[in-house]
Amino acid sequence: MPKILIIDDEINLRETIAEMLTYLGYEIYLSTDGLDGLEKVKSVQPHLIICDIMMPVLDGYGFMEHHQSSDYKHIPVLFLSAKVEPRDKEKGIALGVKDYITKPFTFKDLKATIDLFLT
C-alpha cells in the first residue's frame, strides 16, 4: 500500500484529502508544518509527499531546501498551494518539486497527478 505524507496547516483541507486518499487505499500520514514534515519523512519514509507552501514554523520552500539535502531526497514532492504566480511555481520546480498543483483543485486532478508518481 503506497504511503503518502500530507504537509498542510489547513486542517479541513488536510483531513479531506486524507479521507479521500484513504478511501482509495493509500496509507496516509499527516503533518502541520515543514519542520514536523521533515521528521515524519524520516520515520514514515512515504512514497510521495504533498506539501503546502504557506505554513508556520517552516514553509514549503524551507521544507524543500532541507528535503533535497537529506537521505530521502528521492521521495517525490508535490506542492499544493494557493500561490498562483508563475514565479512561485518556478521557485518550487527549482527546489526540486515534481509538480505544482494550485488551490482550488479538483480531487480528480490531484489523483491523476499522484498516479503519475506512484505507478
Side-chain angles (χ1 to χ4, degrees), residues 79-93:
F79 266 175
L80 183 65
S81 179
K83 294 176 77 83
V84 297
E85 293 295 319
R87 70 175 183 264
D88 296 315
K89 182 175 183 176
E90 291 165 6
K91 184 174 181 177
I93 299 298

Side-chain angles (χ1 to χ4, degrees), residues 22 24 26 30 34 38 47 51 65 81 88 96-99 108:
T22 298
L24 293 175
Y26 297 103
L30 304 174
L38 290 168
H47 298 98
C51 185
E65 289 171 2
S81 179
D88 296 315
V97 299
K98 299 300 181 190
D99 208 341
K108 179 180 176 183

Side-chain angles (χ1 to χ4, degrees), residues 91-115:
K91 184 174 181 177
I93 299 298
L95 287 170
V97 299
K98 299 300 181 190
D99 208 341
Y100 192 103
I101 303 163
T102 56
K103 298 175 187 176
F105 61 92
T106 66
F107 188 71
K108 179 180 176 183
D109 289 342
L110 177 61
K111 171 75 168 88
T113 303
I114 289 169
D115 288 346

Side-chain angles (χ1 to χ4, degrees), residues 49-74:
I49 301 164
I50 299 172
C51 185
D52 187 18
I53 295 176
M54 297 181 291
M55 298 180 289
V57 185
L58 183 65
D59 67 9
Y61 298 132
F63 170 84
M64 280 305 296
E65 289 171 2
H66 290 283
H67 180 69
Q68 286 301 94
S69 62
S70 77
D71 293 337
Y72 307 99
K73 65 183 175 187
H74 64 280

